[in-house]
DNA sequence: TATCGCCCCGACTCCACGTC
DNA sequence: GACGTGGAGTCGGGGCGATA
């Protein structure tokens, strides 16, 4: 069963931690390295698994088994064989798909602010059974991209567009490098250069850089850079503006960053950038 | 070891509504 | 009427622990 409570143990100090508030902890980076089972006498170390394919939870550290009387004790088992990955291709995401990703961010934030409980589907269909002696199922991994040089275009070969995972700034990992993710955060600073803009966005106490570079401006409408000047002036006036974007995750100066390639790949205050700047200028 | 069942996210579809 | 947008609901994929 997933674990939602843990003990943060550091320098003879024990602090209870809930999965719902760990990311708000002022020492989050250190906390997630020093998590232990809450059951009295159980020394099992835990790791934090951020929300991704499944909701956020704590899981038992590899080979750090729980004591047999612990409520979280389980016998370890080998994992089933996964699908065999025979090839990897990149697919250019359509504007429609990117808009859907951005709109889902908006929808989720509204649900969180309203305190809406997660949905459960009581009429869900059972998972189809695998036939005995079925042949191995080779799979093609499709990596979503917004940049140039994609192997596939949206809808090509009737292949569904690949999922764009949402990541919080503090939970990016090396697995995210080279693929497309969605990110949200409040704009802290706008750096304007020749054919280059860098936006600092903040989530809790963490800062994350979003880059708009030559490729972006080559494909953007004429004088698009002027919109960033307006954005900077709004941010400099302490306007609290929410940025949400879909872009390529890279590392620069040993930090994770996002590269935005198209002008429709990001929102400010849940509006397309041009729409937001136009409404803010009225 | 192979598969099941639960759970959740993201893609997709449909429909209502507003604007031009 | 055409088009764009927003919201609700459905469907499918896949991670993970449980189980035969």
């Amino acid at each position: 069963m997933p674990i939602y409570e843990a003990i943060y143990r550091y320098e003879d100090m024990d602090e209870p931690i809930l999965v719902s508030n760990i990311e708000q902890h002022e020492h989050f980076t250190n906390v997630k390295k020093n998590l232990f089972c809450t059951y009295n006498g159980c020394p099992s170390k835990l790791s934090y698994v951020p929300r991704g394919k499944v909701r956020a939870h704590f899981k038992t550290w590899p080979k750090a088994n729980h004591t047999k009387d612990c409520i979280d004790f389980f016998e370890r088992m080998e994992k089933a064989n996964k699908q065999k990955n025979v090839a990897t291709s990149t697919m250019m995401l359509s504007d429609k798909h990117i808009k859907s990703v951005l709109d889902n961010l908006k929808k989720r934030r509204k649900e969180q602010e309203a305190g809406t409980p997660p949905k459960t589907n009581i009429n869900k269909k059972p998972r189809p059974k695998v036939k005995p002696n079925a042949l191995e199922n080779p799979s093609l991994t499709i990596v979503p991209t917004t940049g140039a040089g994609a192997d596939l275009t949206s809808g090509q070969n009737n292949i569904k567009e690949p999922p764009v995972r949402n990541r919080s700034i503090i939970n990016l990992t090396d697995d995210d490098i080279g693929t497309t993710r969605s990110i949200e955060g409040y704009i802290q600073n706008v750096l304007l250069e020749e054919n280059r803009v860098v936006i600092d966005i903040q989530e809790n106490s963490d800062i994350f850089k979003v880059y708009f570079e030559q490729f972006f401006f080559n494909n953007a409408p004429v004088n698009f850079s002027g919109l960033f000047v307006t954005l900077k002036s709004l941010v400099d006036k302490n306007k609290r503006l929410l940025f949400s974007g879909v872009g390529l995750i890279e590392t620069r100066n040993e930090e994770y960053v996002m590269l935005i390639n198209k002008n429709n790949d990001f929102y400010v205050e849940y509006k397309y950038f041009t729409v937001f700047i136009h409404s803010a200028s009225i």
Side-chain angles (χ1 to χ4, degrees):
Chain A
M1 293 295 290
I3 304 167
Y4 299 109
E5 296 177 12
I7 295 290
Y8 166 42
R9 190 163 292 152
Y10 188 64
E11 293 180 349
D12 298 330
M13 176 199 72
D14 281 5
E15 179 184 339
I17 297 289
L18 294 175
V19 76
S20 57
N21 61 17
I22 183 172
E23 293 186 7
Q24 283 74 48
H25 198 287
E26 59 179 326
H27 302 121
F28 172 68
T29 304
N30 195 44
V31 169
K32 64 181 181 179
K33 293 176 185 171
N34 295 282
L35 293 169
F36 293 88
C37 180
T38 56
Y39 190 78
N40 193 24
C42 179
S44 180
K45 191 173 183 180
L46 305 178
S47 61
Y48 172 59
V49 182
R51 183 177 57 77
K53 193 67 183 174
V54 298
R55 75 171 152 171
H57 61 281
F58 297 116
K59 74 172 183 181
T60 308
W61 199 269
K63 299 183 181 177
N65 295 340
H66 295 268
T67 56
K68 286 201 171 183
D69 57 338
C70 175
I71 53 174
D72 291 316
F73 173 78
F74 64 92
E75 297 277 1
R76 291 185 183 276
M77 279 161 281
E78 296 296 324
K79 290 177 183 173
N81 286 347
K82 302 293 187 291
Q83 282 191 313
K84 186 180 180 182
N85 181 30
V86 295
T88 298
S89 291
T90 54
M91 178 182 280
M92 172 68 78
L93 297 172
S94 67
D95 288 346
K96 183 182 174 186
H97 187 35
I98 290 169
K99 181 181 184 306
S100 171
V101 171
L102 293 170
D103 288 343
N104 274 337
L105 293 177
K106 176 182 176 181
K107 181 181 170 185
R108 184 183 301 158
R109 183 171 285 261
K110 279 189 175 180
E111 286 175 354
Q112 284 176 350
E113 288 172 355
T116 309
K119 287 181 287 187
T120 56
N121 187 355
I122 57 175
N123 296 319
K124 191 170 180 65
K125 291 179 184 174
R127 186 167 145 172
K129 294 184 178 180
V130 177
K131 293 175 183 172
N133 306 321
L135 296 174
E136 191 173 51
N137 185 22
S139 66
L140 171 67
T141 300
I142 306 291
V143 178
T145 182
T146 58
D151 301 322
L152 303 165
T153 55
S154 171
Q156 186 175 342
N157 300 339
N158 289 324
I159 297 174
K160 202 164 82 167
E161 296 204 46
V164 177
R165 302 256 180 255
N166 174 240
R167 284 280 183 271
S168 60
I169 294 167
I170 52 179
N171 286 324
L172 285 164
T173 69
D174 287 353
D175 291 341
D176 298 310
I177 297 172
T179 190
T180 300
R181 297 287 185 235
S182 64
I183 287 282
E184 273 191 315
Y186 286 95
I187 302 173
Q188 295 301 307
N189 186 43
V190 180
L191 176 65
L192 303 174
E193 297 177 352
E194 181 72 20
N195 278 336
R196 188 174 193 246
V197 172
V198 184
I199 294 180
D200 289 346
I201 62 173
Q202 184 176 24
E203 182 179 314
N204 300 325
S205 59
D206 292 83
I207 299 290
F208 180 79
K209 292 186 183 303
V210 181
Y211 286 81
F212 304 80
E213 299 190 318
Q214 186 79 49
F215 184 85
F216 175 89
F217 290 102
N218 286 348
N219 294 287
V222 179
N223 297 329
F224 201 84
S225 56
L227 303 181
F228 285 105
V229 176
T230 307
L231 178 67
K232 179 174 173 55
S233 69
L234 290 170
V235 172
D236 289 347
K237 290 174 186 169
N238 297 320
K239 273 267 190 181
R240 183 174 160 84
L241 301 174
L242 182 65
F243 173 93
S244 42
V246 173
L248 187 68
I249 302 298
E250 297 183 348
T251 53
R252 296 186 185 185
N253 301 322
E254 299 181 355
E255 290 182 343
Y256 297 113
V257 303
M258 173 177 275
L259 189 62
I260 300 278
N261 284 317
K262 291 186 292 181
N263 59 298
N264 283 342
D265 290 358
F266 67 106
Y267 282 171
V268 175
E269 293 293 303
Y270 292 125
K271 294 174 183 170
Y272 279 130
F273 187 42
T274 48
V275 175
F276 168 76
I277 292 296
H278 177 71
S279 60
S281 304
I282 295 173

